[in-house]
Amino acid sequence: MDEALLRSLTPSVLTVLVRRGADFAAAEDAVQDALVEAVRVWPADPPRDPKGWLVTVAWRKFLDQTRSDTARRRREDRVEEEPAPGPAPAVDDTLQLYFLCAHPSLTPSSAVALTLRAVGGLTTRQIAQAYLVPEATMAQRISRAKRTVAGVRFDQPGDVATVLRVLYLVFNEGYSGDVDLAAEAIRLTRQLAAAIDHPEVSGLLALMLLHHARRAARTAPDGGLVPLAEQDRGRWDTRLIAEGIGILQAALARDRLGEFQAQAAIAALHADAPTAAETDWVQIVEWYDELARLTDSPVVRLNRAVAVGEADGPRAGLAALAQVDTAVPRHTAVAAYLHERDGDLATAARLYAEAAHKAPNLAERDHLTRQAARLNTHRS
């Protein structure tokens, strides 16, 4: 059984059912039933037209569900007659699912889960494992999201920015268990880039590729975090870097700068430096200035303070950091780093220990704790 084929067909089959009158929740259930049937039947009797087979079976499943559900009697009167078996239209309407899954009425976490389920084709169990929550909890989250968007029409204007934000959230979840969410986000964004001509889609894809290229070098054999300056650049994926830079250059040439392009430009400057010492921090500060103008984000200003510290010295970095709200996540860690660069090891050690208590995950907490211990040992 070709699971990759089933996954690739799922979004377009789901879209066909919705366009024929099925609401999103019922259509998604019918498609899942059809996939189960395909797993049972195809090994012995593979169809000549897999998509047409899935559409026909899923539509029948939907009709059966509709007739058996008394709460849907009104809708049953409007259901079109079952289409004749045969090849399904070749048009892939997957793009419309992105906009439905990123509907503004959904919370970010629900939008991400629904995107992975409907567009990514992942099972509820896989998504729950990736998020480290019980399967029942994730099933409830997805069910609520499906109910929320059940009445949304596909002819409503789509919000590209919301779709990109959802995909960015998926990518930032990283990976755990048997689901690599970073790789899944790249796969979904590639689909979107192939379907829509938009410089920010290209910017997001470039950003993902450039960050993903450094993945193998980010952790030590013991699982500890390896800071960018200490990473073995020989382990970076040069193929992904070249692809990301090429996509970024084409997007920037269109002179429609957006935040994802600006972030990708910063990542490209890091990727292009043969060593950490050769990083063009002056250009990076300039790109952070552009990014701050586009987003007015306190996190951007925090990262800019680090770049200023590298370009103009730690005192300048601390002056830039003083303009950032201390409540911003990782503010204390940045302060610790800049104080260490400035030679104030006692303050840096104290701040590293304080930052460790605030760390959002175990790996980051362990890294910051080790930094504090290293400085305390050095001082003693």
Side-chain angles (χ1 to χ4, degrees), residues 12 22 45-46 73 77 87 113 154-156 171 188 200 221 240 242 252 258 262-263 272 319-320 331 337 341 343:
S12 55
D45 185 20
R73 291 298 182 185
D77 295 335
F154 269 156
D155 58 3
Q156 292 182 341
F171 181 79
L188 295 175
E200 272 294 82
L240 287 182
L252 291 175
Q263 288 188 59
D272 198 43
H331 185 286
Y337 173 73
R341 288 278 318 282

Side-chain angles (χ1 to χ4, degrees), residues 149-376:
V149 301
V152 177
R153 295 179 60 83
F154 269 156
D155 58 3
Q156 292 182 341
D159 182 3
V160 176
T162 303
V163 175
L164 296 181
R165 184 62 53 194
V166 168
L167 290 171
Y168 190 49
L169 288 172
V170 174
F171 181 79
N172 283 336
E173 287 296 329
Y175 65 97
S176 60
D178 63 355
V179 180
D180 185 339
L181 291 182
E184 185 65 16
I186 291 173
R187 186 182 75 84
L188 295 175
T189 307
R190 285 190 188 280
Q191 287 184 12
L192 188 62
I196 183 172
D197 183 22
H198 192 291
E200 272 294 82
V201 177
S202 298
L204 178 58
L205 179 57
L207 176 64
M208 289 178 174
L209 294 174
L210 290 165
H211 279 313
H212 206 55
R214 302 200 300 262
R215 173 170 162 173
R218 283 200 187 101
T219 54
D222 63 357
L225 292 179
V226 180
L228 176 61
E230 300 173 18
Q231 289 176 13
D232 179 0
R233 300 186 178 220
R235 300 184 66 194
W236 290 0
D237 190 327
T238 55
R239 180 186 60 81
L240 287 182
I241 291 173
E243 182 185 4
I245 290 176
I247 292 172
L248 172 63
Q249 288 174 338
L252 291 175
R254 300 176 64 176
D255 198 24
R256 291 170 55 193
L257 184 64
E259 63 173 296
F260 289 119
Q261 294 171 70
Q263 288 188 59
I266 294 169
L269 286 168
H270 283 298
D272 198 43
T275 66
E278 296 174 87
T279 303
D280 190 343
W281 287 105
V282 173
Q283 262 204 85
I284 289 176
V285 171
E286 292 174 355
W287 275 112
Y288 271 122
D289 289 339
E290 289 285 352
L291 193 54
R293 179 182 61 81
L294 290 166
T295 66
D296 192 30
S297 165
V299 174
V300 169
R301 291 196 293 272
L302 180 72
N303 292 332
R304 179 185 178 277
V306 176
V308 169
E310 299 291 348
D312 301 325
R315 295 286 175 90
L318 287 168
L321 183 64
Q323 307 302 314
V324 181
D325 187 345
T326 57
V328 175
R330 298 184 174 86
H331 185 286
T332 308
V334 170
Y337 173 73
L338 291 172
H339 276 290
E340 180 184 357
R341 288 278 318 282
D342 195 39
D344 187 351
L345 303 189
T347 299
R350 176 178 59 79
L351 290 173
Y352 274 130
E354 183 180 333
H357 288 292
K358 302 176 182 178
N361 56 65
L362 181 60
E364 192 168 332
R365 186 184 69 190
D366 288 347
H367 171 71
L368 292 168
T369 301
R370 290 176 184 178
Q371 295 295 88
R374 173 179 58 81
L375 292 185
N376 284 326

